[in-house]
Amino acid sequence: MVAGEISTSYPSSAGAALDQSRAIDTRIWCEQDALFLAFVLTMVAPPSSEGLQMPAGWRVSANQRNKVLADLGTDEERLDIDARSIRAWVNMQPHLPFLPESEITWIKHYLLCCKNSMEKTKQGLDQYYTARTAHYDFFGRYNINEEELIKYGKFMSIGISKELTPGLRRVLVARNRSEEQTEEDFSRMCRLNLLKADALIRMDVNAGYEVVLDQSDFTPGNVRLLILGLNVLKTFLACVLGSVPARVNHVHIINSPSSFRTAFSLLQPLLKEKLKNRVTLHEDLKSLYSHVPPQYLPKDLGGDLPSCEEMEAEFRPVLSSFASHYAVQRTLKVDESKRPGGPSKMHADAQFGCEGSFRRMALD
């Protein structure tokens, strides 16, 4: 049965890979042909808008972006082709949501965070939308708004450097605050931090993050809160480690009191060597400066930048602007009833909600 006939021409977004004058003239004879046509039309769809970007003060230069891409063995043309191929693949999976053209930039950044691996990106996006659906109340339904950013910023300030390091890395400084928290406060703070990480991937292009954790205000009460909020922490880690591929190059811990060091010593046996080697507990600022120069640090740590609290306040309007964006994201859900092979058991296991015998935390 003839379902329809299409004869039209589409501009190419892949340069030499497709001839701009080529026309598609085909008949759809069956459902398989319709799926193939959808794939072709996705590949030759007009270029998307620029999408969400870092503000001018934080945005990387064209040369820096090209260097990041070159180090990963790609360029703008190749990246666009690969991102459209991945989008076509996602849109042909019966259980995954349909990704609109506006998600092309997000897919590009996700691919770069997966070190330009097509397979890791496909697996990661499947896990990402599965996590947003399985943990809908924690990740999928949640939103960013200025009121909550202000309220929960008093528990933890996160400052983001405007300039990249010579190694093209972004420095992120997180500082615990001394404000007393409830379990609900802890849960909401974890949700916001998860969406902040998600937002940065959508906007930023870099060679990874140098994360600095300032534990000046860490108290035994924080240990108690972590224990009480263990289930929340497990869900947070399941979403972050399983689906948000932020490239953390190193974690620097500074000003850690004995209570934190005791807690961390208990955690270390659970960490794989790869992650252990990326964590450094610095005895003093001089040690930290040998890894992260003062020009990338807030004045709380003797650096040249504004305080961590001031840096967070400056970046707050950027995150607040995501409110309408996440309204769309909340509609992108996985339909487990259509997943080939049956529903996923991802995030159902007690070990951070992952399938199999995952017993240790690790970073790729």
Side-chain angles (χ1 to χ4, degrees):
M1 179 181 294
V2 177
E5 184 173 349
I6 297 178
S7 179
T8 185
S9 179
Y10 291 81
S12 170
S13 62
L18 293 171
D19 186 346
Q20 288 189 344
S21 64
R22 180 180 301 170
I24 298 176
D25 187 5
T26 187
R27 289 180 180 273
I28 306 174
W29 294 96
C30 61
E31 184 178 359
Q32 287 80 2
D33 289 334
L35 287 173
F36 176 74
L37 181 62
F39 172 81
V40 173
L41 295 182
T42 302
M43 289 295 291
V44 300
S48 65
S49 61
E50 291 185 347
L52 298 164
Q53 294 189 40
M54 292 289 272
W58 287 267
R59 195 175 306 165
V60 300
S61 67
N63 287 338
Q64 288 175 320
R65 180 183 172 91
N66 290 338
K67 181 66 165 57
V68 171
L69 268 58
D71 288 345
L72 293 173
T74 189
D75 55 35
E76 293 290 0
E77 183 179 14
R78 182 72 254 172
L79 182 63
D80 188 72
I81 293 172
D82 290 344
R84 293 181 184 282
S85 175
I86 291 170
R87 177 181 173 240
W89 176 85
V90 170
N91 288 344
M92 293 181 71
Q93 306 309 304
H95 63 293
L96 294 180
F98 179 86
L99 301 186
E101 174 74 10
S102 59
E103 293 294 276
I104 284 293
T105 299
W106 154 243
I107 297 172
K108 288 180 181 180
H109 290 183
Y110 203 103
L111 177 58
L112 294 176
C113 287
C114 291
K115 299 182 179 179
N116 200 35
S117 168
M118 297 281 282
E119 287 308 309
K120 284 185 178 180
T121 301
K122 291 177 182 178
Q123 294 171 9
L125 288 173
D126 192 320
Q127 293 175 350
Y128 175 83
Y129 290 108
T130 299
R132 289 191 68 102
T133 305
H135 299 294
Y136 186 69
D137 287 341
F138 185 85
F139 189 12
R141 187 177 67 180
Y142 209 59
N143 199 0
I144 286 180
N145 62 69
E146 188 168 6
E147 181 181 352
E148 289 213 331
L149 286 170
I150 294 174
K151 180 177 180 180
Y152 295 104
K154 68 182 181 181
F155 300 125
M156 177 181 286
S157 297
I158 299 179
I160 302 169
S161 67
K162 291 186 176 181
E163 298 292 331
L164 299 186
T165 67
L168 302 179
R169 297 173 181 175
R170 183 84 65 185
V171 177
L172 187 152
V173 182
R175 183 178 187 183
N176 283 323
R177 308 286 293 282
S178 57
E179 297 284 342
E180 185 175 346
Q181 301 179 49
T182 65
E183 290 180 60
E184 178 61 20
D185 291 334
F186 179 72
S187 175
R188 288 181 176 272
M189 186 181 69
C190 284
R191 295 176 193 179
L192 274 178
N193 287 341
L194 177 59
L195 289 191
K196 287 178 182 179
D198 183 79
L200 284 176
I201 291 177
R202 291 178 179 275
M203 293 188 294
D204 204 8
V205 173
N206 55 55
Y209 289 90
E210 293 287 332
V211 178
V212 180
L213 303 180
D214 183 0
Q215 300 297 331
S216 300
D217 294 323
F218 190 90
T219 67
N222 292 114
V223 178
R224 176 179 174 276
L225 189 62
L226 287 174
I227 295 173
L228 292 175
L230 186 59
N231 287 334
V232 171
L233 187 60
K234 286 181 177 180
T235 301
F236 174 77
L237 290 173
C239 294
V240 170
L241 298 180
S243 59
V244 181
R247 295 176 62 189
V248 178
N249 298 101
H250 209 95
V251 178
H252 305 274
I253 302 173
I254 188 69
N255 297 327
S256 54
S258 58
S259 56
F260 176 85
R261 289 173 178 259
T262 299
F264 187 73
S265 66
L266 297 175
L267 178 65
Q268 276 190 313
L270 301 177
L271 306 180
K272 289 186 176 181
E273 286 302 316
K274 189 172 184 178
L275 180 54
K276 285 182 183 179
N277 294 335
R278 295 185 184 185
V279 179
T280 300
L281 274 74
H282 295 280
E283 295 294 336
D284 50 39
L285 290 175
K286 182 179 179 180
S287 173
L288 175 63
Y289 294 163
S290 66
H291 295 267
V292 185
Q295 70 188 87
Y296 303 105
L297 295 171
K299 59 185 179 183
D300 313 71
L301 297 174
D304 301 335
L305 302 181
S307 70
C308 199
E309 185 176 359
E310 291 170 328
M311 291 170 69
E312 170 160 299
E314 186 178 8
F315 201 72
R316 190 178 298 143
V318 180
L319 296 172
S320 298
S321 69
F322 270 71
S324 59
H325 171 76
Y326 279 116
V328 175
Q329 293 301 310
R330 288 194 291 274
T331 68
L332 304 179
K333 295 183 179 181
V334 167
D335 186 345
E336 291 293 348
S337 68
K338 297 181 180 179
R339 183 187 291 272
S344 170
K345 294 183 176 62
M346 186 185 304
H347 307 292
D349 188 82
Q351 290 290 338
F352 305 122
C354 295
E355 293 177 331
S357 58
F358 178 49
R359 300 183 184 280
R360 295 186 177 186
M361 291 185 294
L363 295 176
D364 290 329

